[in-house]
PDB file of all heavy atoms in Angstrom:
ATOM      1  N   VAL A   1      -4.709 -17.571  29.309  1.00  0.00           N
ATOM      2  CA  VAL A   1      -3.489 -17.702  28.508  1.00  0.00           C
ATOM      3  C   VAL A   1      -2.348 -16.829  29.137  1.00  0.00           C
ATOM      4  O   VAL A   1      -1.193 -17.201  29.231  1.00  0.00           O
ATOM      5  CB  VAL A   1      -3.698 -17.309  27.001  1.00  0.00           C
ATOM      6  CG1 VAL A   1      -2.411 -17.241  26.226  1.00  0.00           C
ATOM      7  CG2 VAL A   1      -4.649 -18.260  26.399  1.00  0.00           C
ATOM      8  N   GLY A   2      -2.682 -15.527  29.475  1.00  0.00           N
ATOM      9  CA  GLY A   2      -1.701 -14.676  30.071  1.00  0.00           C
ATOM     10  C   GLY A   2      -1.243 -15.250  31.354  1.00  0.00           C
ATOM     11  O   GLY A   2       0.056 -15.111  31.643  1.00  0.00           O
ATOM     12  N   ALA A   3      -2.166 -15.740  32.211  1.00  0.00           N
ATOM     13  CA  ALA A   3      -1.600 -16.352  33.505  1.00  0.00           C
ATOM     14  C   ALA A   3      -0.734 -17.600  33.272  1.00  0.00           C
ATOM     15  O   ALA A   3       0.215 -17.769  33.990  1.00  0.00           O
ATOM     16  CB  ALA A   3      -2.917 -16.791  34.337  1.00  0.00           C
ATOM     17  N   VAL A   4      -1.125 -18.445  32.284  1.00  0.00           N
ATOM     18  CA  VAL A   4      -0.273 -19.664  32.018  1.00  0.00           C
ATOM     19  C   VAL A   4       1.102 -19.192  31.609  1.00  0.00           C
ATOM     20  O   VAL A   4       2.103 -19.736  32.091  1.00  0.00           O
ATOM     21  CB  VAL A   4      -0.998 -20.553  31.048  1.00  0.00           C
ATOM     22  CG1 VAL A   4      -0.082 -21.685  30.542  1.00  0.00           C
ATOM     23  CG2 VAL A   4      -2.239 -21.204  31.601  1.00  0.00           C
ATOM     24  N   VAL A   5       1.274 -18.321  30.630  1.00  0.00           N
ATOM     25  CA  VAL A   5       2.462 -17.780  30.138  1.00  0.00           C
ATOM     26  C   VAL A   5       3.305 -17.218  31.281  1.00  0.00           C
ATOM     27  O   VAL A   5       4.527 -17.475  31.402  1.00  0.00           O
ATOM     28  CB  VAL A   5       2.219 -16.854  28.976  1.00  0.00           C
ATOM     29  CG1 VAL A   5       3.700 -16.124  28.612  1.00  0.00           C
ATOM     30  CG2 VAL A   5       1.656 -17.496  27.839  1.00  0.00           C
ATOM     31  N   SER A   6       2.681 -16.342  32.132  1.00  0.00           N
ATOM     32  CA  SER A   6       3.470 -15.756  33.216  1.00  0.00           C
ATOM     33  C   SER A   6       3.870 -16.864  34.205  1.00  0.00           C
ATOM     34  O   SER A   6       5.029 -16.755  34.731  1.00  0.00           O
ATOM     35  CB  SER A   6       2.476 -14.737  33.941  1.00  0.00           C
ATOM     36  OG  SER A   6       2.087 -13.731  33.074  1.00  0.00           O
ATOM     37  N   LEU A   7       3.080 -17.778  34.623  1.00  0.00           N
ATOM     38  CA  LEU A   7       3.530 -18.750  35.584  1.00  0.00           C
ATOM     39  C   LEU A   7       4.521 -19.753  35.091  1.00  0.00           C
ATOM     40  O   LEU A   7       5.539 -20.135  35.746  1.00  0.00           O
ATOM     41  CB  LEU A   7       2.230 -19.635  36.016  1.00  0.00           C
ATOM     42  CG  LEU A   7       1.157 -18.901  36.742  1.00  0.00           C
ATOM     43  CD1 LEU A   7      -0.101 -19.730  36.974  1.00  0.00           C
ATOM     44  CD2 LEU A   7       1.747 -18.380  38.062  1.00  0.00           C
ATOM     45  N   VAL A   8       4.468 -20.069  33.718  1.00  0.00           N
ATOM     46  CA  VAL A   8       5.535 -20.987  33.121  1.00  0.00           C
ATOM     47  C   VAL A   8       6.880 -20.159  33.107  1.00  0.00           C
ATOM     48  O   VAL A   8       7.884 -20.563  33.488  1.00  0.00           O
ATOM     49  CB  VAL A   8       5.044 -21.371  31.782  1.00  0.00           C
ATOM     50  CG1 VAL A   8       6.206 -22.084  31.029  1.00  0.00           C
ATOM     51  CG2 VAL A   8       4.001 -22.336  31.823  1.00  0.00           C
ATOM     52  N   GLY A   9       6.743 -18.885  32.741  1.00  0.00           N
ATOM     53  CA  GLY A   9       7.967 -18.123  32.601  1.00  0.00           C
ATOM     54  C   GLY A   9       8.506 -17.911  34.071  1.00  0.00           C
ATOM     55  O   GLY A   9       9.805 -17.858  34.196  1.00  0.00           O
ATOM     56  N   GLY A  10       7.767 -17.656  35.045  1.00  0.00           N
ATOM     57  CA  GLY A  10       8.202 -17.474  36.496  1.00  0.00           C
ATOM     58  C   GLY A  10       8.934 -18.773  36.924  1.00  0.00           C
ATOM     59  O   GLY A  10      10.042 -18.629  37.553  1.00  0.00           O
ATOM     60  N   THR A  11       8.349 -19.931  36.632  1.00  0.00           N
ATOM     61  CA  THR A  11       8.930 -21.062  37.191  1.00  0.00           C
ATOM     62  C   THR A  11      10.239 -21.367  36.476  1.00  0.00           C
ATOM     63  O   THR A  11      11.289 -21.855  37.142  1.00  0.00           O
ATOM     64  CB  THR A  11       7.992 -22.341  37.030  1.00  0.00           C
ATOM     65  OG1 THR A  11       6.858 -22.101  37.815  1.00  0.00           O
ATOM     66  CG2 THR A  11       8.679 -23.635  37.406  1.00  0.00           C
ATOM     67  N   MET A  12      10.338 -21.285  35.132  1.00  0.00           N
ATOM     68  CA  MET A  12      11.517 -21.453  34.462  1.00  0.00           C
ATOM     69  C   MET A  12      12.564 -20.499  34.755  1.00  0.00           C
ATOM     70  O   MET A  12      13.782 -20.841  34.765  1.00  0.00           O
ATOM     71  CB  MET A  12      11.289 -21.420  32.897  1.00  0.00           C
ATOM     72  CG  MET A  12      10.236 -22.483  32.424  1.00  0.00           C
ATOM     73  SD  MET A  12      10.554 -24.088  33.022  1.00  0.00           S
ATOM     74  CE  MET A  12      12.139 -24.530  32.167  1.00  0.00           C
ATOM     75  N   PHE A  13      12.181 -19.240  35.104  1.00  0.00           N
ATOM     76  CA  PHE A  13      13.226 -18.265  35.558  1.00  0.00           C
ATOM     77  C   PHE A  13      13.771 -18.725  36.883  1.00  0.00           C
ATOM     78  O   PHE A  13      15.028 -18.567  37.092  1.00  0.00           O
ATOM     79  CB  PHE A  13      12.629 -16.875  35.651  1.00  0.00           C
ATOM     80  CG  PHE A  13      13.582 -15.935  36.255  1.00  0.00           C
ATOM     81  CD1 PHE A  13      14.391 -15.317  35.426  1.00  0.00           C
ATOM     82  CD2 PHE A  13      13.486 -15.520  37.570  1.00  0.00           C
ATOM     83  CE1 PHE A  13      15.423 -14.419  35.912  1.00  0.00           C
ATOM     84  CE2 PHE A  13      14.353 -14.465  38.140  1.00  0.00           C
ATOM     85  CZ  PHE A  13      15.348 -13.992  37.358  1.00  0.00           C
ATOM     86  N   LEU A  14      12.858 -19.256  37.778  1.00  0.00           N
ATOM     87  CA  LEU A  14      13.440 -19.767  39.042  1.00  0.00           C
ATOM     88  C   LEU A  14      14.468 -20.976  38.831  1.00  0.00           C
ATOM     89  O   LEU A  14      15.408 -21.130  39.467  1.00  0.00           O
ATOM     90  CB  LEU A  14      12.305 -20.265  39.910  1.00  0.00           C
ATOM     91  CG  LEU A  14      11.505 -19.131  40.671  1.00  0.00           C
ATOM     92  CD1 LEU A  14      10.463 -19.760  41.639  1.00  0.00           C
ATOM     93  CD2 LEU A  14      12.404 -18.165  41.443  1.00  0.00           C
ATOM     94  N   LEU A  15      14.183 -21.853  37.828  1.00  0.00           N
ATOM     95  CA  LEU A  15      15.030 -22.854  37.550  1.00  0.00           C
ATOM     96  C   LEU A  15      16.362 -22.291  37.053  1.00  0.00           C
ATOM     97  O   LEU A  15      17.460 -22.830  37.475  1.00  0.00           O
ATOM     98  CB  LEU A  15      14.454 -23.759  36.497  1.00  0.00           C
ATOM     99  CG  LEU A  15      13.288 -24.682  37.004  1.00  0.00           C
ATOM    100  CD1 LEU A  15      12.809 -25.679  35.926  1.00  0.00           C
ATOM    101  CD2 LEU A  15      13.545 -25.455  38.280  1.00  0.00           C
ATOM    102  N   TRP A  16      16.352 -21.402  36.195  1.00  0.00           N
ATOM    103  CA  TRP A  16      17.639 -20.646  35.752  1.00  0.00           C
ATOM    104  C   TRP A  16      18.336 -20.087  36.851  1.00  0.00           C
ATOM    105  O   TRP A  16      19.512 -20.204  36.981  1.00  0.00           O
ATOM    106  CB  TRP A  16      17.300 -19.642  34.654  1.00  0.00           C
ATOM    107  CG  TRP A  16      18.497 -18.947  34.205  1.00  0.00           C
ATOM    108  CD1 TRP A  16      19.299 -19.235  33.259  1.00  0.00           C
ATOM    109  CD2 TRP A  16      18.913 -17.652  34.589  1.00  0.00           C
ATOM    110  NE1 TRP A  16      20.314 -18.356  33.087  1.00  0.00           N
ATOM    111  CE2 TRP A  16      20.081 -17.352  33.897  1.00  0.00           C
ATOM    112  CE3 TRP A  16      18.445 -16.740  35.563  1.00  0.00           C
ATOM    113  CZ2 TRP A  16      20.792 -16.140  34.007  1.00  0.00           C
ATOM    114  CZ3 TRP A  16      19.169 -15.646  35.714  1.00  0.00           C
ATOM    115  CH2 TRP A  16      20.315 -15.251  35.073  1.00  0.00           C
ATOM    116  N   LEU A  17      17.576 -19.346  37.732  1.00  0.00           N
ATOM    117  CA  LEU A  17      18.220 -18.830  38.933  1.00  0.00           C
ATOM    118  C   LEU A  17      18.910 -19.881  39.851  1.00  0.00           C
ATOM    119  O   LEU A  17      19.912 -19.692  40.282  1.00  0.00           O
ATOM    120  CB  LEU A  17      17.197 -17.949  39.754  1.00  0.00           C
ATOM    121  CG  LEU A  17      17.746 -16.909  40.705  1.00  0.00           C
ATOM    122  CD1 LEU A  17      18.581 -15.888  40.050  1.00  0.00           C
ATOM    123  CD2 LEU A  17      16.538 -16.416  41.493  1.00  0.00           C
ATOM    124  N   GLY A  18      18.249 -20.914  39.985  1.00  0.00           N
ATOM    125  CA  GLY A  18      18.774 -22.086  40.848  1.00  0.00           C
ATOM    126  C   GLY A  18      19.990 -22.638  40.268  1.00  0.00           C
ATOM    127  O   GLY A  18      21.032 -22.966  40.900  1.00  0.00           O
ATOM    128  N   GLU A  19      20.119 -22.708  38.840  1.00  0.00           N
ATOM    129  CA  GLU A  19      21.312 -23.187  38.183  1.00  0.00           C
ATOM    130  C   GLU A  19      22.457 -22.205  38.351  1.00  0.00           C
ATOM    131  O   GLU A  19      23.513 -22.615  38.613  1.00  0.00           O
ATOM    132  CB  GLU A  19      21.025 -23.477  36.755  1.00  0.00           C
ATOM    133  CG  GLU A  19      20.092 -24.523  36.427  1.00  0.00           C
ATOM    134  CD  GLU A  19      19.919 -24.733  34.908  1.00  0.00           C
ATOM    135  OE1 GLU A  19      20.256 -23.848  34.185  1.00  0.00           O
ATOM    136  OE2 GLU A  19      19.238 -25.802  34.506  1.00  0.00           O
ATOM    137  N   GLN A  20      22.252 -20.894  38.307  1.00  0.00           N
ATOM    138  CA  GLN A  20      23.130 -19.971  38.516  1.00  0.00           C
ATOM    139  C   GLN A  20      23.732 -19.954  39.893  1.00  0.00           C
ATOM    140  O   GLN A  20      24.935 -19.876  40.144  1.00  0.00           O
ATOM    141  CB  GLN A  20      22.668 -18.615  38.219  1.00  0.00           C
ATOM    142  CG  GLN A  20      22.264 -18.351  36.783  1.00  0.00           C
ATOM    143  CD  GLN A  20      23.368 -18.614  35.833  1.00  0.00           C
ATOM    144  OE1 GLN A  20      24.396 -18.133  35.899  1.00  0.00           O
ATOM    145  NE2 GLN A  20      23.042 -19.463  34.792  1.00  0.00           N
ATOM    146  N   ILE A  21      22.815 -20.145  40.877  1.00  0.00           N
ATOM    147  CA  ILE A  21      23.345 -20.360  42.344  1.00  0.00           C
ATOM    148  C   ILE A  21      24.171 -21.589  42.471  1.00  0.00           C
ATOM    149  O   ILE A  21      25.352 -21.507  43.113  1.00  0.00           O
ATOM    150  CB  ILE A  21      22.109 -20.405  43.235  1.00  0.00           C
ATOM    151  CG1 ILE A  21      21.390 -19.112  43.228  1.00  0.00           C
ATOM    152  CG2 ILE A  21      22.588 -20.664  44.688  1.00  0.00           C
ATOM    153  CD1 ILE A  21      20.077 -19.139  44.101  1.00  0.00           C
ATOM    154  N   THR A  22      23.905 -22.643  41.765  1.00  0.00           N
ATOM    155  CA  THR A  22      24.641 -23.866  41.919  1.00  0.00           C
ATOM    156  C   THR A  22      26.039 -23.733  41.295  1.00  0.00           C
ATOM    157  O   THR A  22      27.032 -24.307  41.826  1.00  0.00           O
ATOM    158  CB  THR A  22      23.861 -25.088  41.259  1.00  0.00           C
ATOM    159  OG1 THR A  22      22.620 -25.265  41.833  1.00  0.00           O
ATOM    160  CG2 THR A  22      24.705 -26.379  41.451  1.00  0.00           C
ATOM    161  N   SER A  23      26.133 -23.045  40.114  1.00  0.00           N
ATOM    162  CA  SER A  23      27.332 -22.925  39.459  1.00  0.00           C
ATOM    163  C   SER A  23      28.233 -21.785  39.914  1.00  0.00           C
ATOM    164  O   SER A  23      29.417 -21.877  39.930  1.00  0.00           O
ATOM    165  CB  SER A  23      27.077 -22.888  37.838  1.00  0.00           C
ATOM    166  OG  SER A  23      26.296 -21.726  37.590  1.00  0.00           O
ATOM    167  N   ARG A  24      27.608 -20.739  40.215  1.00  0.00           N
ATOM    168  CA  ARG A  24      28.380 -19.443  40.545  1.00  0.00           C
ATOM    169  C   ARG A  24      28.252 -19.076  42.012  1.00  0.00           C
ATOM    170  O   ARG A  24      28.970 -18.181  42.472  1.00  0.00           O
ATOM    171  CB  ARG A  24      27.897 -18.364  39.734  1.00  0.00           C
ATOM    172  CG  ARG A  24      28.028 -18.569  38.204  1.00  0.00           C
ATOM    173  CD  ARG A  24      27.466 -17.495  37.389  1.00  0.00           C
ATOM    174  NE  ARG A  24      27.996 -16.151  37.627  1.00  0.00           N
ATOM    175  CZ  ARG A  24      27.579 -15.100  37.159  1.00  0.00           C
ATOM    176  NH1 ARG A  24      26.553 -15.073  36.250  1.00  0.00           N
ATOM    177  NH2 ARG A  24      28.141 -13.882  37.316  1.00  0.00           N
ATOM    178  N   GLY A  25      27.348 -19.730  42.776  1.00  0.00           N
ATOM    179  CA  GLY A  25      27.116 -19.436  44.190  1.00  0.00           C
ATOM    180  C   GLY A  25      27.547 -20.590  45.047  1.00  0.00           C
ATOM    181  O   GLY A  25      28.487 -21.329  44.688  1.00  0.00           O
TER     182      GLY A  25
END
């Protein structure tokens, strides 16, 4: 459960980071 939560959070954070690069970078 801890691994699934961590991996889901890591991937979604990368998506948010990618959106920030697209809009502000």
